[in-house]
Amino acid sequence: MSSTAADVVRLLTVRGETLAVAESLTGGMVAAALTAVPGASKAFRGSVTAYATELKRELLGVDGELLAAHGAVDPQVAARMAAGVRTNLGADWGIATTGVAGPDPQDGQPVGTVFVAVDGPLGARRGRADGGKVEALRLNGDRAEIRMESVRSVLALLLRELASEQTGNERAQDTERNGGF
């Protein structure tokens, strides 16, 4: 069990929030890391491993024209996967992984190209059009190393989003306690 996964589960549980996962290149590894944490069932709703491109459209609601134009290894695809799994599984947060673990390039992208995404409930309050954030990764290593780093990266991205939101709430509460200053 990773400490990042444990921190994610702990924070979500304390906040009473839930998480759903959409995976492609990681093939269920993110869900496995989360469910290895004791008590994960309090926060983890479920996952969709959409390895085949058409499943990203059929199960996660990724636009077919986007997939046709850019392929599955694309930042917008990652964002839609996270939003789709969040909506379809009824979770507060959704995270997603898509990319090329190798051994061959895919969709015109070299091995090690990975996009991780998070979609959450607070995007509108942060000035974003939706609740999503995507990070582009260029990873080195063999297939196993790229997949493991993708798991670590998507969980770290979610943890940062959860922590930054918590910090924002604490600032708001402090402002209220101090008369609005």
Side-chain angles (χ1 to χ4, degrees):
M1 160 182 56
S2 83
S3 63
T4 305
D7 289 343
V8 163
V9 169
R10 180 184 54 76
L11 267 176
L12 288 169
T13 301
V14 164
R15 295 157 56 127
E17 294 178 336
T18 57
L19 173 65
V21 177
E23 300 186 65
S24 187
L25 84 148
T26 50
M29 294 169 62
V30 177
L34 290 163
T35 58
V37 177
S41 61
K42 293 175 184 159
F44 184 69
R45 295 275 303 156
S47 65
V48 173
T49 301
Y51 214 64
T53 299
E54 69 269 11
L55 294 180
K56 292 171 180 64
R57 180 179 49 77
E58 294 169 8
L59 299 177
L60 298 171
V62 177
D63 183 67
E65 291 179 17
L66 172 64
L67 289 166
H70 299 280
V73 183
D74 181 82
Q76 292 178 28
V77 171
R80 282 303 312 143
M81 288 173 64
V85 80
R86 175 181 170 229
T87 300
N88 292 344
L89 274 60
D92 297 300
W93 295 88
I95 58 176
T97 62
T98 188
V100 186
D104 300 314
Q106 178 185 336
D107 296 332
Q109 300 285 354
V111 171
T113 302
V114 175
F115 297 98
V116 296
V118 61
D119 188 79
L122 297 176
R125 283 191 254 161
R126 292 190 187 157
R128 292 193 299 247
D130 58 28
K133 183 171 186 176
V134 179
E135 284 188 355
L137 308 172
R138 299 289 183 248
L139 304 176
N140 295 314
D142 63 20
R143 181 176 173 80
E145 291 168 325
I146 290 168
R147 293 175 76 214
M148 285 303 298
E149 183 57 24
S150 298
V151 172
R152 189 205 65 74
S153 295
V154 76
L155 291 174
L157 175 60
L158 176 59
L159 190 58
R160 285 192 305 274
E161 287 294 298
L162 289 168
S164 69
E165 181 207 324
Q166 186 174 24
T167 301
N169 285 344
E170 290 166 357
R171 276 197 301 265
Q173 290 170 358
D174 186 50
T175 299
E176 289 172 10
R177 280 193 296 266
N178 290 311
F181 297 104

